Amino acid sequence: QSVLTQPRSVSGSPGQSVTISCTGTSSDVGGYDYVSWYQHHPGKAPKLIIYDVSKRPSGVPDRFSGSKSGNTASLTISGLQAEDEADYYCCSYAGAYILYVFGTWTKVTVL
Amino acid sequence: QLQLLESGPGLVKPSETLSLSCSVSGASISSSYYYWGWIRQPPNKGLEWVGSIYYSGSTYYNPSLKSRVSISVDQSKNQFFLRLNSVTAADTAVYFCARQGRIFQEGFYYWGQGTLVAVSS
C-alpha cells in the first residue's frame, strides 16, 4: 500500500551526490512537516536518517540532508560512500485517518 | 542501547491469527512517553505501517487493516504485541517492530531486524 512515489534506483560514484525524490500529495507530504527517511540494508534493521523533513538523529552523518518543496520531499546524500549502498524509504504523516504512508523504495548503488 | 526483538511463528495458516511479540531491552516501555509501532514489508514490496500503541495503551491502526488488527502492551514484561486475524497470503511479510518518538508523527527511531511470517496451508 505504498502511496508516496520514489524513483526505483539512483546511482553515483564515490564522492558524488545523489538525490532521491519522494512525491506525495497535499494530504501527506505537502500537508505536514513530518517526512522521515530510512536506510535499509536488506536483512538488517532499517535506520532512521532524517525526521521532520530535515532533522538528523544523533549519529547520522551530515552527508545526509532532507528538504521539501510542495508535495515532494528529497533526500540528498553528499560525498557518497560505499556503505551508503542500500534501499531508502521515505515516510510521511498523512493526517488523523490514514496516519502514516511510506514510499516505494529507492535502491542506491555506489558505482 | 535500545534494542527491539520480534518473535512469533514463522508460518500461519490462512484464516487463522498471526501473533507476534516485540521484546524491548535498554529502555522501559512503562517509564517513557513513546509510541511503539509495527511495520511490515511483503516480499518484493515496500513498507506498510500496520499500527502503533502509546505506552499507556492508546492504539492507532492502518485503516486498511483496522478490522483485523490489534496491538497491545504488557509493561511488566516490557513487550508489545501484534495480532492480525483472518490472515491471507497477502499478509505474508517481514514484520518489524519499532519505537517511535514522543510525538506520534515524527517517525520510527529504532527498529528490530524483523521476522518473516508466511501465510500458507
Side-chain angles (χ1 to χ4, degrees):
Chain A
Q1 188 193 1
S2 298
V3 176
L4 308 179
T5 301
Q6 298 179 231
R8 261 282 171 93
S9 64
V10 298
S11 61
S13 299
Q16 288 186 332
S17 293
V18 295
T19 296
I20 303 169
S21 60
C22 170
T23 301
T25 69
S26 58
S27 296
D28 38 66
V29 173
Y32 307 94
D33 287 334
Y34 289 119
V35 176
S36 50
W37 289 90
Y38 303 87
Q39 179 190 64
H40 187 208
H41 291 100
K44 296 191 175 182
K47 177 184 178 182
L48 175 71
I49 53 174
I50 295 289
Y51 69 100
D52 290 359
V53 176
S54 60
K55 297 177 182 177
R56 274 179 288 107
S58 173
V60 173
D62 59 7
R63 303 185 293 103
F64 294 91
S65 62
S67 63
K68 189 185 84 166
S69 177
N71 296 335
T72 298
S74 298
L75 172 71
T76 297
I77 309 173
S78 305
L80 202 60
Q81 298 183 5
E83 60 261 37
D84 299 334
E85 186 162 294
D87 295 330
Y88 290 81
Y89 290 86
C90 63
C91 178
S92 175
Y93 178 69
Y97 178 67
I98 302 293
L99 295 171
Y100 270 116
V101 289
F102 279 93
T104 55
W105 75 92
T106 298
K107 182 173 178 57
V108 170
T109 302
V110 182
L111 301 171
Chain B
Q1 176 73 357
L2 180 68
Q3 291 188 321
L4 301 100
L5 182 64
E6 305 89 349
S7 61
L11 182 64
V12 180
K13 289 183 169 54
S15 80
E16 294 190 345
T17 297
L18 179 160
S19 296
L20 296 175
S21 302
C22 181
S23 298
V24 178
S25 59
S28 171
I29 291 178
S30 62
S31 63
S32 64
Y33 295 87
Y34 294 107
Y35 292 84
W36 305 84
W38 289 95
I39 302 100
R40 69 181 184 179
Q41 182 179 28
N44 300 313
K45 293 187 178 181
L47 298 172
E48 179 183 34
W49 174 69
V50 176
S52 300
I53 189 165
Y54 194 43
Y55 80 103
S56 60
S58 300
T59 52
Y60 310 82
Y61 300 129
N62 185 320
S64 69
L65 300 170
K66 191 170 186 176
S67 63
R68 300 192 292 126
V69 69
S70 174
I71 296 175
S72 59
V73 63
D74 186 331
Q75 293 184 358
S76 66
K77 293 183 178 179
N78 219 34
Q79 291 180 315
F80 62 105
F81 309 94
L82 171 68
R83 286 175 60 87
L84 182 65
N85 57 38
S86 304
V87 297
T88 69
D91 296 310
T92 293
V94 174
Y95 286 78
F96 298 95
C97 62
R99 198 213 78 187
Q100 298 174 230
R102 288 182 169 153
I103 299 175
F104 178 87
Q105 299 92 329
E106 279 186 338
F108 305 90
Y109 280 73
Y110 296 96
W111 297 60
Q113 289 202 329
T115 186
L116 175 62
V117 179
V119 177
S120 175
S121 55

